Amino acid sequence: YSAAVWKQLFQTLDPNSNLFLQGDINKLAVYKNQVDDEVNAGSTAFFEATYAIYSQRVTEAEALCMKILQQPFDVQKKETVMAWRKDQPFPASEAAREDLWRKLLKYYTLRHYMEMEKAAGNTVKGKKGVDAALEAKAREKVRNWYAEYFRKATGKNAANDKFAQYMEVAVAEIDQHTAYTAPEDKTFNDMLTKKYC
């Protein structure tokens, strides 16, 4: 139970394995077999330790993301990145995390660029070069999406929201048909109809 909740919390907080570093996970491994004891004792030490690191990493990732998106990407350079990184290893270092973010942001920018180019009817076979204005618009779309993502991840209710997610994970591991409802959540009826989110 403890190991399952421990692992699931990281997957919930960082589903793309691009926020935490492997060293963070190693540091938090001391809680891997203690979650059940903490739940029984009413302790939140594991969550608090995890959330403190998570908050720091989100702040770092936001600064990194906004810095990377200031400059156009080298689209001539061929690179690969796994866009959906569920169950992938966490970056081993800050440099590896930065490279991962750069590649992910380049991928999302190129995806938006191609969608915008297609919508404008500008796709010509054999066409060389990149439309700089369109690339800047694509980067702006990615920047806006991530600005909202980071705003929610660091907002005034972020700690309570993440704690509710932790409790959901802890409860679901006992019984997948049981849900945790935080004190500020809407009614059970609204929960069932997915009106809150």
Side-chain angles (χ1 to χ4, degrees):
Y1 171 82
S2 290
V5 171
W6 181 87
K7 181 180 179 183
Q8 187 60 41
L9 182 60
F10 297 118
Q11 291 175 341
T12 300
L13 294 177
D14 188 5
N16 225 11
S17 302
N18 61 1
L19 295 172
F20 287 108
L21 298 174
Q22 186 58 51
D24 301 331
I25 306 305
N26 296 344
K27 181 179 176 182
L28 294 165
V30 297
Y31 296 100
K32 195 170 190 175
N33 297 315
Q34 297 176 10
V35 176
D36 56 345
D37 296 329
E38 283 197 6
V39 170
N40 285 333
S43 171
T44 58
F46 167 54
F47 171 77
E48 290 171 14
T50 303
Y51 186 74
I53 294 172
Y54 170 80
S55 296
Q56 176 188 344
R57 297 304 181 210
V58 166
T59 301
E60 292 169 357
E62 180 178 19
L64 184 61
C65 181
M66 296 307 145
K67 181 185 92 172
I68 291 169
L69 287 169
Q70 286 178 352
Q71 300 298 321
F73 290 102
D74 179 1
V75 295
Q76 302 303 322
K77 183 179 178 183
K78 292 186 179 180
E79 299 180 286
T80 59
V81 68
M82 186 179 292
W84 178 240
R85 303 187 67 253
K86 184 178 181 193
D87 297 325
Q88 292 301 304
F90 294 94
S93 66
E94 290 183 13
R97 182 183 59 181
E98 182 171 355
D99 191 52
L100 173 60
W101 271 98
R102 184 188 57 77
K103 288 178 181 177
L104 285 169
L105 294 169
K106 179 180 176 180
Y107 165 76
Y108 291 126
T109 298
L110 285 172
R111 198 170 83 179
H112 283 298
Y113 178 88
M114 290 186 293
E115 288 170 0
M116 293 163 72
E117 190 177 49
K118 186 176 180 182
N122 294 340
T123 53
V124 179
K125 288 190 176 180
K127 179 181 158 187
K128 296 282 185 185
V130 174
D131 182 332
L134 199 60
E135 191 273 348
K137 283 183 183 177
R139 268 187 297 119
E140 186 62 25
K141 275 186 103 166
V142 175
R143 183 184 297 112
N144 290 340
W145 191 93
Y146 273 104
E148 179 64 14
Y149 167 80
F150 289 121
R151 187 188 67 74
K152 287 180 181 176
T154 58
K156 65 177 185 172
N157 293 325
N160 289 338
D161 292 343
K162 298 306 177 191
F163 182 74
Q165 290 177 341
Y166 169 58
M167 292 307 299
E168 287 169 16
V169 166
V171 169
E173 196 58 40
I174 295 169
D175 177 9
Q176 62 182 350
H177 302 294
T178 302
Y180 169 78
T181 305
E184 295 164 13
D185 281 351
K186 305 290 190 266
T187 66
F188 183 69
N189 225 14
D190 288 340
M191 185 176 79
L192 289 177
T193 57
K194 308 267 188 221
K195 289 181 182 172
Y196 76 105
C197 283

